[in-house]
Amino acid sequence: MEDKINYLKVIVSETAEGERIGKYVLRNYRDAVRSKLMLHRAFKRQEISVNGGPVEETRLLQKNDIIEIKYNTSIEEDNKIKIIPIRICYEDEYLAVVWKPSGQNFKNFEKAIHFNTALKDVNGNRQKVWCINEIQKAASGLILVAKTEEIKGFLYEQYKLDKIQVTMRVLCHGLVSTSDNSQLFLPELTNKKNEEEDIDPNQVLKSIDIVSHTPSNNAHYISRLDLQLHTPLSSVWLRKLFFYHSKHPIIGNSKFTLPLKASDKGLSASLIKLSFIHPITQSLMQIEEEEPAKFRTICEREARFYQNKLDREAEEIRKSGLSEIDIAERNDGQLLAYVLGQKEFYGRMFKVTKDCLIPRASSETLVQATIAALLQQNKKDSKRIIDVGAGCGNLLISILKEIPSATGVGIDISEAALEVARENSRNILLDDNYQRVEWRVQDMSTLGNNTMDIFDVLVCNPPYLDYAKANRRRDQRAIFEQEPAEALFAKDNGYEWYTILSKVALFTVKPDGYIILECGKGMMAAVVDIFAHNWEIDSTYKDSQGWDRCLVLRRRKNYL
């Protein structure tokens, strides 16, 4: 391979006199030598000289010194290629089968294959090799390599004629219960754009073997499948087929896949088996490898989390006093709180129906924050709290139960939800109920119309899900569709109701009062900006998962 040289020649100016050459080059000419480590290697290879002679990188420069750089990038590229891990699964003098790990760029990996498997001529130079099949960066699997042009021609022809058997192991969302292409892939399921061409599953897949099913909180089930594929193989067509034409997209964060969790990387697809006729011996070659350890890790993690959820739900069922639950409803994905008709929140049991949002443990941070804020204020005065979007009343009732001297108003646009809140307040606040709490059907945008109706604390868990983004999470749609949409979704990328609250809060909260808000994951900084003109951060609270969840705001001093 011909050397690639970055060449540079400069004359040192007076301003650089007395500076060490290594520091000077790194500061001014990173386009020639990109890092400190590469610079050190270049000096060691004597690729950097001053006035025609090699120097140490600590050499002090003088005015009018002539620096010459002949940086050999080919050596650095070769060094990178040499450290790429290559696992050879089979090799003889004619061909090889190697394993490509996920995350490895195919072009760089192809160079590493050449370095590790190529034949050498009499002068020790490596001859060219050819990869018969290609695997995208995010996937892993077996690659068939030809060592001579004659072998390449034979294997390419076999691959083109679909005579090389390829098995791809994939993890998919949901319970795949059939291996019949005509039942698994249905044209009416497609949500593709009109300009996308139709994909015939029979042109991509020869057959499907269902290996296992794993229960999952995120996907209901994970299906482990072995796909016998036609060649030449198109990874894009395969992913599009499952993404657009079935209910079971492949797990991954590549295009036309769907992740289980936002933190998951890569693609759950691996070419684990190759079968072909050896071009010289004419014997059947069958090379098979175990699935990547990551597949097993994902399935074990999801099974463990699913079992933990079952254990928690069993405890909730036990606490509910119900001896029997409709198993059919649970199998259909019915949320347990709606089946039970109740949900524990802040140590108390609240009635819930499908008219109201199910209380979340993460929202308990709002109760903690409100109690802390009220304790900072003048303790002699009776405090008034308004719960905006009260739902079943879990926030306001929990706060009033903890602060016996406080009173409150809960507003919601749903009369049905407020009926549930009224029942919860009667059951939990008991005799104090009618004196301490009022429930109103009211839109938050109308707050502030009555300037006499002001509060010490405004607490709110507003709708903040962006429907466009949530709708792409097909694994969560079944959950979203069970709870009232008006309590979940907001326009303006989820910030609609924060903006409205920022406009009415000045007329609703006392000058020394607090706004206490729940924020969606990653949304808190933007919410702070929305309120920044009149309000400043008092404190923040993280939920049990470590996310910034609760934001406490106070009026800016110039507005007191």
Side-chain angles (χ1 to χ4, degrees):
M1 182 174 66
E2 187 177 333
D3 286 345
K4 298 177 184 176
I5 305 295
N6 281 355
Y7 180 77
L8 183 69
K9 186 176 182 179
V10 294
I11 299 175
V12 176
S13 65
E14 186 177 354
T15 57
E17 188 167 2
E19 187 173 355
R20 298 189 188 280
I21 183 174
K23 183 177 179 181
Y24 175 80
V25 170
L26 201 61
R27 180 166 57 85
N28 294 287
Y29 302 106
R30 274 189 178 267
D31 54 337
V33 183
R34 292 189 297 275
S35 72
K36 190 173 182 179
L37 179 60
M38 291 178 177
L39 180 75
H40 178 71
R41 290 172 180 162
F43 275 108
K44 194 172 182 179
R45 295 193 297 265
Q46 299 187 350
E47 294 173 350
I48 300 177
S49 64
V50 174
N51 302 326
V55 294
E56 298 290 331
E57 56 189 297
T58 55
R59 198 256 203 202
L60 298 177
L61 294 172
Q62 302 295 321
K63 180 183 176 183
N64 294 325
D65 277 346
I66 299 174
I67 300 175
E68 207 166 2
I69 300 174
K70 300 176 181 178
Y71 179 60
N72 193 335
T73 61
S74 300
I75 294 176
E76 294 295 342
E77 289 178 10
D78 283 348
N79 289 335
K80 288 181 181 179
I81 295 302
K82 289 175 184 177
I83 62 174
I84 292 176
I86 297 285
R87 181 157 64 86
I88 300 174
C89 305
Y90 173 82
E91 185 176 21
D92 59 32
E93 59 184 304
Y94 306 104
L95 58 85
V97 178
V98 301
W99 179 269
K100 186 193 90 68
S102 60
Q104 192 62 251
N105 176 277
F106 185 78
K107 290 192 180 298
N108 289 337
F109 192 74
E110 194 171 25
K111 294 176 183 177
I113 291 173
H114 173 266
F115 182 81
N116 284 272
T117 66
L119 297 174
K120 294 182 180 179
D121 61 20
V122 292
N123 296 317
N125 297 317
R126 289 186 176 85
Q127 302 302 294
K128 187 174 181 179
V129 297
W130 295 265
C131 293
I132 305 304
N133 62 303
E134 185 174 333
I135 297 176
Q136 73 173 93
K137 180 178 179 179
S140 61
L142 298 169
I143 295 175
L144 181 56
V145 181
K147 294 187 177 184
T148 70
E149 285 213 50
E150 181 183 1
I151 300 301
K152 177 204 74 169
F154 178 86
L155 292 177
Y156 265 148
E157 187 69 14
Q158 295 291 295
Y159 190 66
K160 188 171 67 174
L161 294 175
D162 201 13
K163 292 184 178 181
I164 293 178
Q165 307 303 312
V166 173
T167 301
M168 182 79 78
R169 172 74 55 87
V170 298
L171 300 182
C172 293
H173 288 259
L175 184 67
V176 177
S177 57
T178 178
S179 58
D180 185 339
N181 285 351
S182 64
Q183 296 182 39
L184 180 58
F185 304 104
L186 301 174
E188 60 267 25
L189 291 177
T190 185
N191 62 346
K192 62 183 176 62
K193 297 177 182 178
N194 291 333
E195 63 268 21
E196 294 279 2
E197 60 184 309
D198 289 328
I199 300 173
D200 181 355
N202 294 315
Q203 291 183 353
V204 178
L205 293 165
K206 294 179 180 178
S207 63
I208 298 174
D209 292 329
I210 300 172
V211 179
S212 68
H213 295 123
T214 302
S216 165
N217 296 332
N218 292 299
H220 195 41
Y221 277 95
I222 296 172
S223 292
R224 187 190 258 115
L225 309 177
D226 279 350
L227 312 177
Q228 281 69 50
L229 303 173
H230 288 289
T231 61
L233 167 63
S234 170
S235 174
V236 174
W237 276 30
L238 177 64
R239 286 179 280 130
K240 281 185 175 182
L241 179 63
F242 278 86
F243 189 81
Y244 287 131
H245 295 279
S246 83
K247 297 179 179 179
H248 309 286
I250 295 171
I251 294 171
N253 65 347
S254 303
K255 197 173 183 181
F256 313 121
T257 65
L258 193 65
L260 277 174
K261 299 174 67 176
S263 58
D264 285 341
K265 304 297 181 184
L267 174 64
S268 295
S270 183
L271 200 160
I272 62 169
K273 187 175 180 179
L274 283 173
S275 298
F276 58 94
I277 299 298
H278 195 289
I280 301 300
T281 66
Q282 294 298 300
S283 59
L284 176 63
M285 304 292 297
Q286 291 188 319
I287 313 297
E288 186 170 4
E289 290 291 315
E290 295 289 329
E291 69 178 16
K294 177 184 177 181
F295 286 27
R296 184 171 62 256
T297 300
I298 289 174
C299 291
E300 288 177 352
R301 179 193 72 191
E302 293 300 302
R304 183 171 67 255
F305 289 170
Y306 184 80
Q307 186 58 51
N308 290 343
K309 179 183 177 183
L310 290 183
D311 293 342
R312 291 194 303 269
E313 291 184 348
E315 179 63 17
E316 289 190 48
I317 292 170
R318 186 191 64 78
K319 287 182 180 179
S320 73
L322 299 178
S323 58
E324 236 178 77
I325 295 297
D326 189 334
I327 299 302
E329 282 189 314
R330 297 295 296 126
N331 287 342
D332 287 339
Q334 178 74 278
L335 295 174
L336 182 64
Y338 289 148
V339 177
L340 297 175
Q342 61 184 28
K343 179 68 176 178
E344 185 175 348
F345 182 83
Y346 214 76
R348 300 176 181 88
M349 199 63 73
F350 287 81
K351 177 181 177 178
V352 292
T353 70
K354 291 185 178 181
D355 297 306
C356 51
L357 196 69
I358 296 171
R360 268 72 164 172
S362 59
S363 300
E364 293 184 353
T365 55
L366 277 72
V367 179
Q368 297 164 6
T370 303
I371 294 170
L374 291 174
L375 292 177
Q376 289 183 45
Q377 294 180 326
N378 187 339
K379 297 181 180 179
K380 294 181 180 179
D381 298 336
S382 175
K383 304 302 177 185
R384 292 191 78 213
I385 304 144
I386 183 166
D387 179 5
V388 180
C392 70
N394 57 296
L395 287 177
L396 182 57
I397 294 168
S398 297
I399 294 165
L400 296 181
K401 193 66 178 176
E402 297 296 320
I403 309 290
S405 61
T407 61
V409 173
I411 70 167
D412 202 291
I413 60 172
S414 169
E415 174 63 37
L418 290 179
E419 278 301 313
V420 178
R422 292 185 184 101
E423 185 175 342
N424 281 325
S425 64
R426 287 194 297 270
N427 293 336
I428 296 173
L429 297 178
L430 302 175
D431 295 339
D432 291 340
N433 174 54
Y434 296 104
Q435 292 76 34
R436 298 185 62 200
V437 65
E438 177 188 357
W439 305 100
R440 303 177 188 163
V441 176
Q442 185 176 352
D443 189 306
M444 72 170 75
S445 62
T446 66
L447 288 172
N449 290 349
N450 181 358
T451 56
M452 301 300 293
D453 198 19
I454 58 175
F455 299 85
D456 297 280
V457 174
L458 183 155
V459 62
C460 180
N461 177 12
Y464 54 69
L465 293 181
D466 179 357
Y467 186 81
K469 292 180 181 177
N471 196 43
R472 290 199 292 268
R473 289 298 306 272
R474 287 192 274 187
D475 55 314
Q476 293 187 359
R477 282 184 203 167
I479 295 175
F480 292 151
E481 288 169 357
Q482 292 183 57
E483 297 188 86
E486 63 271 17
L488 288 171
F489 299 106
K491 299 175 184 176
D492 190 24
N493 297 318
Y495 295 100
E496 174 188 12
W497 295 106
Y498 293 110
T499 302
I500 291 172
L501 278 174
S502 71
K503 295 175 181 177
V504 301
L506 278 175
F507 311 103
T508 308
V509 180
K510 292 180 180 179
D512 61 344
Y514 295 87
I515 299 174
I516 297 176
L517 302 170
E518 180 165 324
C519 299
K521 292 179 183 177
M523 297 178 71
M524 187 171 287
V527 174
V528 170
D529 288 343
I530 290 171
F531 284 84
H533 186 64
N534 299 318
W535 303 84
E536 61 187 6
I537 298 175
D538 178 85
S539 55
T540 61
Y541 291 73
K542 294 183 183 293
D543 61 20
S544 59
Q545 302 298 315
W547 292 95
D548 288 328
R549 182 61 66 182
C550 174
L551 174 63
V552 182
L553 298 169
R554 294 197 71 169
R555 194 86 64 91
R556 288 191 177 277
K557 292 182 180 180
N558 56 319
Y559 279 89
L560 290 178

